Amino acid sequence: MTNWWGLIIGSLAAALCEYIFRIHKGPYDQIFPLAMMLALITNYGVFSVMQGASSLISGLLLWTFLTQIWRVAFTLFILHESPTVGAWIGFGLVIMAQISQRIWK
C-alpha cells in the first residue's frame, strides 16, 4: 500500500525545489537551507513510495507520474511557459507507461 500523503508531499517538494532553482537568480548559498529542507522531504516521499510499491519499476512510475503532473502545473500556471513538443511527448510516454503498468499487472 502506497503512502499517498508521502507521495503527494514529496513530489510537490521535488517540483517546488526545481521551480525555485529555475527562478532564483542569485548564488546557491542563498537558497541552500530551503533546498536542503525540500530535499529531505523529497527523499521521504521517494522512500514512502518505494516501501509501498510492489516493485521498483512500479514505484518509479508512480513517482515520475506525479512529479511530472506537478512540473506541468508549475510550468503552465506559475511560470507561464509553454513546453516544447518533445516535452509533451515525454509526458505522454510517462502517462502511457503508468496506464500500461496498471493494465498488465
Side-chain angles (χ1 to χ4, degrees), residues 5 7 18 21 44 49 54 57 60-61 65 71 94-95 102:
W5 286 112
L7 172 64
E18 293 166 357
F21 290 160
Y44 173 74
V49 170
S54 60
I57 293 175
L60 180 64
L61 284 174
F65 177 72
R71 288 174 182 137
V94 168
I95 291 173
R102 294 290 175 206

Side-chain angles (χ1 to χ4, degrees), residues 43-63:
N43 282 320
Y44 173 74
V46 171
F47 172 78
S48 66
V49 170
M50 295 306 164
Q51 288 289 311
S54 60
S55 71
L56 181 64
I57 293 175
S58 65
L60 180 64
L61 284 174
L62 188 59
W63 175 261

